[in-house]
Amino acid sequence: MPWFPIFIDLKDKPVLIVGGGAVALRKLEKLLPYGAKITVAAPKILSGFEDFPGIKLKRKNFTASDLRPRPSMVIAATDSKKINSRVSFLCRKHHIPVNVADDPALCSFLFPALIQRGAFSVGISTGGASPVAAAYFKALISEMLPKGLEELLTWLEALRPQVKAAMPKQSDRGAVFQRLFDAGMARGAPLSQAETEKYIAGEHGRKTREKDTACKPAGSVALVGAGCGRADLITVRGLRLLERCQAVVYDDLIDTALLDAAPEFAERIYVGKRNGAHGASQDEINQKLMELARRGLKVVRLKGGDPYLFGRGGEEMMALLAAGISCQEVPGIPSPIGIAAQAGIPVTHRGISRGVHIITAHTADTGDGLPEDFDTLAKLSGTLLFLMGLERLSVITARLIEAGKDPDTPAAVVSGGNAPKPAQVRAPLQLLGQAAEEAGVSAPAIIIVGVVASMDLSAASHEPEEGMNLSAASHEPEEGMNLSAVSHEPKEVMNLSAVSHETKEVMSLSAAGYRAEEVLNGIRIGITGTQEIAEKQRLALSALGAKAVWVMRSEIKELSAAYDRRIFETDPCWIVFTSANGVKTFFGQMAAKGIDMRSMKDIFPKGEKFAVIGPATGKALLQYGIAADLCPDVYTSENLAAAIAASARVGERVVLLRSALGTRTLPEMLIKAGFAVEDIPVYDLEYKFCDETLSKLDYLTFSSAEGVKAFFKRYGGVPEGVCCVCIGSVTAKTLAQYVSAPFLTSLETSAEGIVETILHDWKK
C-alpha cells in the first residue's frame, strides 16, 4: 500500500533527532533548508553537527523527557534497534510523527528522497520498498529541472501583488501567470520589468505569445568521454548521463557494452569514421546533434578517449553553443595516457620524465603533416606522445633524430584500448619504424618517445575484475539441446613471468609475453542470445582480453494472457518448466495478479508435482520455495519426457509452462505416452540487432536454434572470415542448414563451454 504524500510547514517548528552518527547527520542536512528548530540528542555526537549554527546538541541518552515540550516530528537514527523501537513506541503513544531510519515498520511517516530548489520541493518515496529506486528517480528528476528554477520561482512569487492589482478578477489571473511562467521557462530566466508589464497587460500578440510561450521540452547534448578501453573506465557522471539519455550518438573505438547502459528506448546512432572510411562528416554530426536536441531529446555524444583531446569535441561544442542548445562536456581518460598505461608505461615518472607533450601527427597545413614547431618539440626533455602518426612513423623518427634526439632513445608504438588489433612494440628510436612494420602494427596507435618507454609496470599482479569469473554457472538452453557432460582436461596454464628485454630489443608480440587476461587480446567476438547468457559470455571473454560485442540480443516478452489460474484448480497435475526464463516469467505473472507468493497452497491447491529440464531451472524454481520433484540425468526433451513417463501415472495431466518457440518434441512424446498435455506458452522472444559490429568480427556465437533462425532472417549470411561458434548440437544442426563453411560447436552446452571452445581454437 503506498504512503500518502503530504507537505508541512516546519519553519520555527521543534524537531528532535535521536542519534548522533552519520545517518542522523544526513537527516539533519535534509531538514536544514526548511527552517525547523532542531535538537539532537545522543551520548556521542559527530563533530560535523557543530558545523551548523543554531542546532541544539544534547549529549545524553534519550529519555521520555526529551519529548517535552512536544516536537512537531521525531527522527530516530541510532545504531540500536532497542532505542529506535522505544522512540517509535513513545511517539506513537503520544501521536507524534516519527521516522525510524531504515525501518519502515516503526515509522508513522517516511523520509522521502528530497529535491529542493528554493520554494520548489519534490519528495519521492517507494513506501520503503526500494530506496535505490527512490534515489534513481531523484537523480532523473533533478536532471530534468531547468537551470535557474529557484530564481524563476522567486520572480513569479514577487509578481503576485502586481498581477493581483492589475487583474482584480481571479479568473483572469490564471492566464497571466500561465503566460509569465511559459515565457520564463522558454527563456530559462525571469523577464525584464518592461517585458513583464507587457505580458501582464496582454500587449503581446497571439503569434508572439505562441512563439515565446511554446513550451517544448528542453533538449540538451552532453559530450561524454568514454575513455580508451573497457566500458567501466567511463566516469560516474558520464555513465549517469548515458543511463538517462534519450539518444546516444557514438563513434568507433568505444566499448559497445556502453550502449547497453543507455535506456532501451534510447535511439542509438552510429557516426564512426576511421582511416578515411567516413560514416558521417563532422558537419553532418553537428547537424544531427542539433536536430536531436531540437526534438527535445537528452542526447549523449559518446566519444572515445576525451572529447577535447583531438576528438573535435570543441567544434561540436561551438556549434551547439552557437545554436543556443544546452550542452556540457564530461571528460574521459585520454588515449595517450590510458593506452600508454595499459602497456605499463607511465607518461611521467619521478626522476625520469617531469613533463609530457601530446602532439598530433596529422596536420593538414604543413608539408609533411607534422607541426611547424616539431624541431623545437624534439629538443624538449620528458615524454613525447604522438597521435595519428603511424603512417608517418618513419618521418617522425627521422625528424626527431635530425633535431638532435639520441637515436637510442627508448620508444614504443602501442595500439590498445578498443583498437581492432591491439599490439605493442618497443625499440630504440632509430629502429622503431622497422620494428612496428615487422610486427604488423595497425592504426589506431600512439607513439611514445622517452625513457619511460623502456618501463613496463604491467607485470604487477592485478585483482580480477568484479563479475569476470570463468566458472560461471552453466546455462540451460531450451529443451531439445544435448546437455551431456563432457570431461575436460585442465587448461594449459599461461606463463605469467615477465619477459626481460634489453632496451634495443623489439618487444615480442607472442602470447607468451601477455598477462593471463590478455590471451585473447585483440580478438573481436560477436555475441547473440538472451541477456543472461550473453552477459556471461561478455564478462568471461572480456576478462581474457577479447573485445566482446553484442550483435543480436533476444529479450523476454511475457505472454500474460496465456495464464489462467483455473488450470490448477481442477485435477492434480504435473507442472513442467523447461527453462529458468519460464519459471521467472510465470511467477512474475502471478505476482502481478496479486497472488500471495508466500502461500503455495493458495497457488497450487491440489498438491501439484514439479518437473524441470535441468538443475539451473530447478535452482530458479527453488527461489520461489518449490523443490523440483523430478529432474532428468541428461538435460534434453527426450530424457525429460522419459523421466515423467516413468514417474507419473498414465492419463495424468501435464502442464508445460515454456517458451512459445519450444519444439514439439516434448509434448508429442508425452501425448504418445498417454498423458493429457496442456502446452502453455508463457513467454516469447523479441530480437534487437546492432548491425555495424558484424563485419569487424573474428568469431560469432549462437546460443539457441531460434537465435540462428532470427540472425539469418535479418542478415542473410555471415561475413567471410567470421568463425561461428554454437552452444551445442541442436544449435549446430540448425546452423548447418544455413552455412556451408566449417564452424565450431561447444562440447559443453553453457556460456563457459563457448568460451572454452574459442580459447582452444585460438591457441591452435
Side-chain angles (χ1 to χ4, degrees), residues 241-425:
L241 288 167
L242 188 60
E243 289 172 338
R244 298 167 195 149
C245 75
Q246 295 161 301
V248 54
V249 180
Y250 64 100
D251 279 339
D252 283 300
L253 303 183
I254 66 162
D255 187 340
T256 52
L258 283 170
L259 299 179
D260 292 339
E264 212 171 288
F265 59 80
E267 296 182 41
R268 290 163 170 81
I269 301 162
Y270 173 70
V271 292
K273 49 185 188 292
R274 172 118 334 253
N275 293 337
H278 293 275
S281 69
Q282 189 59 54
D283 185 60
E284 288 172 335
I285 294 171
N286 295 348
Q287 293 300 321
K288 173 59 71 174
L289 295 176
M290 290 186 280
E291 172 201 329
L292 293 168
R294 284 168 178 156
R295 283 168 47 193
L297 302 182
K298 305 291 185 185
V299 184
V300 164
R301 171 70 171 107
L302 195 61
K303 302 174 75 69
D306 180 88
Y308 284 168
L309 187 66
F310 302 129
R312 308 190 77 168
E315 296 176 42
E316 294 173 9
M317 182 64 77
M318 290 172 66
L320 293 167
L321 290 171
I325 291 170
S326 175
C327 48
Q328 62 175 299
E329 190 268 352
V330 180
I333 299 174
S335 58
I337 309 297
I339 300 302
Q342 186 181 39
I345 300 173
V347 296
T348 64
H349 192 79
R350 185 177 181 183
I352 295 178
S353 174
R354 296 181 175 87
V356 59
H357 307 275
I358 302 173
I359 309 131
T360 175
H362 195 79
T363 304
D365 54 357
T366 62
D368 58 6
L370 299 178
E372 292 178 349
D373 57 353
F374 187 86
D375 292 343
T376 302
L377 289 168
K379 293 181 173 63
L380 296 173
S381 62
T383 307
L384 300 179
L385 291 166
F386 296 91
L387 274 64
M388 299 171 284
L390 190 61
E391 293 180 357
R392 297 176 175 83
L393 180 55
S394 60
V395 177
I396 291 170
T397 56
R399 286 279 302 271
L400 288 172
I401 294 171
E402 288 172 9
K405 210 72 168 169
D406 185 346
D408 288 334
T409 301
V413 175
V414 182
S415 180
N418 293 305
K421 296 180 179 179
Q424 52 179 278
V425 172

Side-chain angles (χ1 to χ4, degrees), residues 665-725:
T665 302
L666 180 59
E668 288 176 356
M669 288 184 66
L670 291 170
I671 292 170
K672 189 174 181 180
F675 296 97
V677 177
E678 295 181 60
D679 191 1
I680 302 176
V682 294
Y683 72 93
D684 203 345
L685 294 176
E686 290 182 335
Y687 295 96
K688 293 191 174 182
F689 303 87
C690 187
D691 297 348
E692 64 270 8
T693 62
L694 190 59
S695 62
K696 307 172 185 178
L697 302 177
D698 297 296
Y699 293 92
L700 176 63
T701 72
F702 291 103
S703 54
S704 72
E706 291 301 325
V708 172
K709 296 174 186 176
F711 177 89
F712 282 91
K713 182 178 180 180
R714 171 63 177 259
Y715 296 111
V718 177
E720 186 176 352
V722 178
C723 179
C724 296
V725 186

Side-chain angles (χ1 to χ4, degrees), residues 312-643:
R312 308 190 77 168
E315 296 176 42
E316 294 173 9
M317 182 64 77
M318 290 172 66
L320 293 167
L321 290 171
I325 291 170
S326 175
C327 48
Q328 62 175 299
E329 190 268 352
V330 180
I333 299 174
S335 58
I337 309 297
I339 300 302
Q342 186 181 39
I345 300 173
V347 296
T348 64
H349 192 79
R350 185 177 181 183
I352 295 178
S353 174
R354 296 181 175 87
V356 59
H357 307 275
I358 302 173
I359 309 131
T360 175
H362 195 79
T363 304
D365 54 357
T366 62
D368 58 6
L370 299 178
E372 292 178 349
D373 57 353
F374 187 86
D375 292 343
T376 302
L377 289 168
K379 293 181 173 63
L380 296 173
S381 62
T383 307
L384 300 179
L385 291 166
F386 296 91
L387 274 64
M388 299 171 284
L390 190 61
E391 293 180 357
R392 297 176 175 83
L393 180 55
S394 60
V395 177
I396 291 170
T397 56
R399 286 279 302 271
L400 288 172
I401 294 171
E402 288 172 9
K405 210 72 168 169
D406 185 346
D408 288 334
T409 301
V413 175
V414 182
S415 180
N418 293 305
K421 296 180 179 179
Q424 52 179 278
V425 172
R426 300 175 197 241
L429 183 61
Q430 61 184 337
L431 300 177
L432 187 63
Q434 176 187 348
E437 184 178 352
E438 290 175 353
V441 180
S442 60
I446 65 169
I447 301 164
I448 307 170
V449 179
V451 179
V452 293
S454 64
M455 300 179 68
D456 186 357
L457 305 183
S458 61
S461 62
H462 299 280
E463 292 184 10
E465 294 191 26
E466 182 180 357
M468 296 190 176
N469 184 354
L470 278 178
S471 60
S474 63
H475 168 73
E476 226 172 78
E478 292 295 327
E479 71 273 12
M481 292 189 174
N482 181 7
L483 295 169
S484 54
V486 179
S487 62
H488 296 276
E489 294 185 9
K491 297 188 290 289
E492 181 181 350
V493 178
M494 291 292 295
N495 179 11
L496 299 181
S497 59
V499 181
S500 62
H501 297 277
E502 295 292 335
T503 303
K504 296 185 179 181
E505 287 184 342
V506 178
M507 170 69 80
S508 170
L509 295 179
S510 68
Y514 287 171
R515 297 192 301 271
E517 64 266 31
E518 294 176 334
V519 67
L520 294 179
N521 201 21
I523 307 306
R524 295 179 64 88
I525 302 172
I527 299 172
T528 68
T530 63
Q531 177 72 24
E532 183 178 5
I533 191 169
E535 187 66 5
K536 287 178 181 177
Q537 292 180 58
R538 188 185 70 79
L539 291 174
L541 291 167
S542 296
L544 293 167
K547 174 67 175 174
V549 297
W550 69 270
V551 172
M552 183 187 78
R553 182 169 56 198
S554 53
E555 296 181 349
I556 302 300
K557 178 183 178 182
E558 293 188 5
L559 302 175
S560 56
Y563 168 70
D564 186 345
R565 187 179 175 189
R566 289 173 297 179
I567 293 169
F568 310 107
E569 294 177 348
T570 55
D571 299 329
C573 61
W574 280 83
I575 298 173
V576 181
F577 290 101
T578 59
S579 71
N581 286 327
V583 174
K584 295 172 186 175
T585 304
F586 173 75
F587 283 95
Q589 290 170 0
M590 288 198 297
K593 292 177 180 290
I595 298 174
D596 188 354
M597 302 295 291
R598 294 169 297 181
S599 175
M600 291 300 110
K601 290 183 179 179
D602 181 51
I603 302 171
F604 306 110
K606 300 295 183 180
E608 284 78 2
K609 293 184 179 180
F610 295 86
V612 296
I613 198 170
T617 305
K619 183 178 179 181
L621 186 62
L622 194 59
Q623 292 178 353
Y624 296 95
I626 302 175
D629 299 287
L630 183 152
C631 179
D633 295 330
V634 181
Y635 320 138
T636 65
S637 295
E638 292 84 351
N639 285 279
L640 177 59

